[in-house]
Amino acid sequence: MNGADSDSCDIAIVGGGLAGGLATLALARRRPDLDVRLIEPGPVGGNHLWSFFDGDVAARDRWLIEPLIAHRWSGYDVAFPAYRRAIAMPYNSIDSETLAEAVAALLPPERLIAKAATRLAPQSVLLEGGDRLAARHVIDARGIGGLAGVDCGWQKFVGQALRVAGGHGLTQPVVMDATVDQIGGYRFVYCLPFDAETVFVEDTYYGDDADLDVGAIRARIADYAAARGWTVSAVAREETGWLPVVMAGDFDAIWPRDDAVARIGVRAGRFHATTGYSLPDAVRAAAALPALVDRADLGARLRADAAAAWRRQRFYRMLGAMLFRAAEPAERYRIFQRFYRLSPALIARFYAGASSGADRLRLLSGRPPVPIGRAIRAIGSFDWL
């Protein structure tokens, strides 16, 4: 199938968010012989910023993500009630607009299908309006699915790009400013200086539920800017988001055994259980895809890879249980305050989901930043699936 039949293709990717967009780019660059279709009713990438530490992406996969980096800094800051710290670890951001432009540059317009998918099968997609697209492989990249049977808290946020008259004065990101009032769980503010007068400010919460009062959080962002002495002349963009922080759950609840459609991204359970971040896994999966799509058992192979990744996340699910079950909401910041005193290399491996055995012992050793009895109960009740 090489485009002669408009109703058939080699690969149909359903969902044009981060995972689907990266997969499309990887296939377009490494397998130009394939007819790849991207099915996305809205703008590719949506309205998002994604950031990552250098250590999150292996050197062998940088070819995919490097052209998309819109902003890069040599280090970042954190701030807690007990201390402030600058960490010399490169940090990067990409945005949905850059992702959409990259996809448009490589994917012929007729291969971007701006319709919703109503039904997926391993080799066909039913589109709104009744059109059907046949494919050698269908890949589901639509984002988080059902979470029934999964025990999770939430990292939720509202972010705004603020134009600050006279400049904001930041020279590198503030990845966590937890000196703010602790409201609704662990709260911190995240700042990315895009240029001298533009700073992206995100008000983030590790909360027990997914409720997000956008109006109230907008007011808190305005208060934060005022407290820093910033005169905001405009809000250039705004985004909201919810990321699951998983404490327990069987992988079959994420990707049922009887679903034979191939999956990637958050839809496949490929995200960091403690942070909810999916970019490192999305890059790994997309970079590997060009070498896998000739397999007849692509769906089974991707499911096996995702299940193995889910098992490797057990330690991070335990940390999520400690965060949500052992700490009072207003005291959760103490866990991160202790964490950010550790070595930059350990911190980098944690975010990459690659903590060593020694790292795990270091994270759990010493006096816990939560009541000991509650910490023991949280670990004792932990579901090790």
Side-chain angles (χ1 to χ4, degrees):
M1 302 177 205
N2 285 305
D5 184 349
S6 62
D7 296 321
S8 66
C9 64
D10 291 301
I11 310 295
I13 299 172
V14 183
L18 178 64
L22 289 175
T24 301
L25 289 177
L27 291 171
R29 290 184 60 184
R30 293 292 172 91
R31 293 299 304 273
D33 55 304
L34 298 177
D35 179 349
V36 177
R37 309 290 177 91
L38 179 60
I39 301 168
E40 173 52 62
V44 172
N47 174 31
H48 293 289
L49 295 168
W50 299 280
S51 298
F52 64 98
F53 303 98
D54 265 12
D56 291 346
V57 177
R60 66 180 179 273
D61 297 334
R62 295 288 296 198
W63 63 270
L64 178 58
I65 198 73
E66 196 77 34
L68 303 177
I69 295 174
H71 303 281
R72 179 174 170 81
W73 303 270
S74 60
Y76 66 92
D77 298 327
V78 293
F80 294 95
Y83 66 90
R84 295 175 180 268
R85 184 183 185 188
I87 299 177
M89 185 187 303
Y91 195 63
N92 314 272
S93 284
I94 68 175
D95 55 48
S96 51
E97 293 85 357
T98 303
L99 178 61
E101 290 169 3
V103 169
L106 291 176
L107 195 69
E110 65 274 11
R111 295 187 183 181
L112 177 58
I113 302 172
K115 292 184 178 182
T118 59
R119 188 181 307 158
L120 276 62
Q123 294 183 310
S124 67
V125 181
L126 187 64
L127 303 170
E128 61 180 349
D131 293 335
R132 180 179 176 274
L133 176 66
R136 194 196 322 164
H137 293 298
V138 172
I139 300 175
D140 190 351
R142 290 178 295 175
I144 195 70
L147 289 173
V150 177
D151 184 6
C152 65
W154 296 90
Q155 185 186 166
K156 52 193 179 181
F157 53 87
V158 176
Q160 294 182 332
L162 308 179
R163 298 274 173 76
V164 180
H168 46 71
L170 297 179
T171 57
Q172 63 183 22
V174 181
V175 167
M176 284 187 179
D177 182 351
T179 62
V180 295
D181 293 338
Q182 295 299 293
I183 302 168
Y186 172 47
R187 177 192 176 209
F188 64 91
V189 175
Y190 168 75
C191 300
L192 298 176
F194 290 159
D195 58 42
E197 295 193 342
T198 307
V199 58
F200 183 76
V201 179
E202 184 178 280
D203 200 338
T204 302
Y205 302 77
Y206 272 79
D208 296 317
D209 57 52
D211 294 341
L212 196 61
D213 187 339
V214 175
I217 297 173
R218 286 172 179 155
R220 290 174 197 157
I221 291 173
D223 290 343
Y224 182 83
R228 297 200 66 139
W230 296 341
T231 300
V232 177
S233 61
V235 176
R237 68 181 294 158
E238 179 178 276
E239 66 170 285
T240 59
W242 299 260
L243 304 175
V245 179
V246 176
M247 294 174 276
D250 191 330
F251 179 71
D252 289 347
I254 295 287
W255 188 341
R257 289 181 182 274
D258 60 359
D259 187 346
V261 178
R263 297 186 181 193
I264 57 174
V266 177
R267 193 81 172 187
R270 299 296 300 267
F271 56 90
H272 195 299
T274 310
T275 67
Y277 295 148
S278 62
L279 184 142
D281 276 299
V283 173
R284 280 191 287 269
L289 200 55
L292 297 176
V293 291
D294 289 328
R295 297 177 62 118
D297 64 343
L298 178 65
R301 169 61 186 269
L302 291 178
R303 191 182 189 280
D305 290 348
W310 185 265
R311 290 191 294 272
R312 291 193 297 270
Q313 286 283 316
R314 285 182 298 219
F315 176 74
Y316 302 108
R317 290 195 291 276
M318 185 191 70
L319 295 182
M322 290 278 289
L323 177 64
F324 282 93
R325 293 174 179 164
E328 293 289 347
E331 299 296 314
R332 288 174 185 162
Y333 78 91
R334 295 184 184 277
I335 292 175
F336 290 91
Q337 182 170 264
R338 177 181 182 274
F339 170 75
Y340 265 106
R341 289 189 185 275
L342 301 175
S343 75
L346 182 150
I347 292 168
R349 290 189 293 270
F350 167 83
Y351 279 114
S355 299
S356 67
D359 292 341
R360 297 176 188 209
L361 288 173
R362 182 68 184 89
L363 284 165
L364 297 176
S365 66
R367 182 178 178 181
V370 297
I372 293 175
R374 295 185 65 162
I376 292 172
R377 287 194 294 275
I379 293 175
S381 64
F382 177 65
D383 176 0
W384 289 93
L385 288 174

